[in-house]
């Protein structure tokens, strides 16, 4: 079983709709969770981080974390064609009090249709 | 401007010829990492460093070396590159282990 799993997609949504991206992880001691956006040919860009259960909102983006279910999601409201990219989920697993293992999922490709 | 700078952006080399990819950050970050990205496999960590002179292996360290003699620099060394090391490489830095990473622009390496 992969440590961080995402559906590869593509996930296609019409412009203006809500895009919902999901990620599951296997390590129960995981401490922090991240979403990155990666445009084709570019480097990953951090868009959201979440550290505790519940929702965290930043503009059109909402990250949701459920540690009991080992599940983290990203909602993009009012999706725009410029949101078309691959979205990477990353999980930080604490190895010791000072060292961490940072694992990426393989990403979900999102296509927003104009 | 806060950034992670990698060089070169593109590199074509021959099997066995030693090469170094440089990485530098200007944010005084403690953590630095090297990743390779391959289609279908995603980002895989090669090595990471928690601070000066402290490094550890990631998931795919074979064939790579790193050093962290200064806080800002974290070069990746391929002593004897092979074609299976053809990939897109990213350097990244983080304030500490619990925060997200800032990535460099990437180095596309081709080994023939």
């Amino acid at each position: 079983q992969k440590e961080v799993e995402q559906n590869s997609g593509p996930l296609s949504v019409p412009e203006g709709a809500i895009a919902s991206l999901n990620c599951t992880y296997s390590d129960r001691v995981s401490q922090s969770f991240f979403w990155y956006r990666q445009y084709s040919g570019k480097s990953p860009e951090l868009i959201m981080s979440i550290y505790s259960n519940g929702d965290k909102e930043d503009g059109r983006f909402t990250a949701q974390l459920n540690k009991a279910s080992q599940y983290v999601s990203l909602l993009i409201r009012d999706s725009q064609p410029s949101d078309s990219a691959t979205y990477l989920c990353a999980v930080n697993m604490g190895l010791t009090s000072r060292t961490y293992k940072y694992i990426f999922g393989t990403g979900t490709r999102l296509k927003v249709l104009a | 401007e806060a950034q992670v700078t990698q060089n070169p952006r593109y590199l074509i080399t021959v099997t066995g010829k030693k090469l170094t990819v440089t990485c530098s950050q200007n944010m005084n970050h403690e953590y630095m990492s090297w990743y390779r990205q391959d289609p279908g496999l995603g980002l895989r960590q090669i090595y990471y460093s928690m601070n000066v002179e402290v490094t550890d292996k990631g998931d795919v360290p074979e064939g790579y070396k790193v050093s962290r003699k200064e806080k800002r620099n974290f070069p990746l060394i391929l002593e004897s590159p092979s074609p299976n090391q053809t990939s897109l490489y990213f350097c990244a830095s983080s304030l500490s282990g619990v925060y997200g990473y800032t990535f460099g622009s990437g180095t596309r390496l081709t080994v023939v």
Side-chain angles (χ1 to χ4, degrees), chain B residues 45-102:
Chain B
Q45 192 175 48
I46 303 170
Y47 271 94
Y48 65 100
S49 169
M50 293 78 83
N51 214 323
V52 175
E53 302 292 2
V54 184
T55 63
D56 205 353
K57 296 177 181 178
D59 293 319
V60 288
E62 294 77 20
Y64 305 95
K65 282 177 56 176
V66 293
S67 66
R68 187 101 180 266
K69 293 184 170 58
E70 306 165 279
K71 198 171 187 178
R72 62 182 293 127
N73 295 324
F74 191 44
L76 179 69
I77 302 159
L78 284 73
E79 295 268 6
S80 183
S82 62
N84 65 11
Q85 293 178 297
T86 292
S87 186
L88 178 59
Y89 291 85
F90 288 106
C91 179
S93 72
S94 174
L95 182 62
S96 79
V98 297
Y99 298 109
Y101 274 107
T102 300

Side-chain angles (χ1 to χ4, degrees), chain A residues 38-92:
Chain A
Q38 186 175 25
Y39 293 113
S40 180
K42 301 294 186 183
S43 56
E45 173 194 11
L46 179 66
I47 55 173
M48 290 289 286
S49 55
I50 186 165
Y51 301 95
S52 56
N53 279 328
D55 294 0
K56 178 181 177 183
E57 189 174 315
D58 184 0
R60 295 186 297 112
F61 299 102
T62 299
Q64 300 175 316
L65 175 61
N66 183 326
K67 289 189 177 182
S69 300
Q70 295 174 244
Y71 176 95
V72 57
S73 65
L74 179 71
L75 301 178
I76 306 174
R77 290 182 299 281
D78 188 22
S79 295
Q80 302 296 309
S82 58
D83 294 325
S84 298
T86 297
Y87 289 81
L88 305 171
C89 172
V91 176
N92 212 352

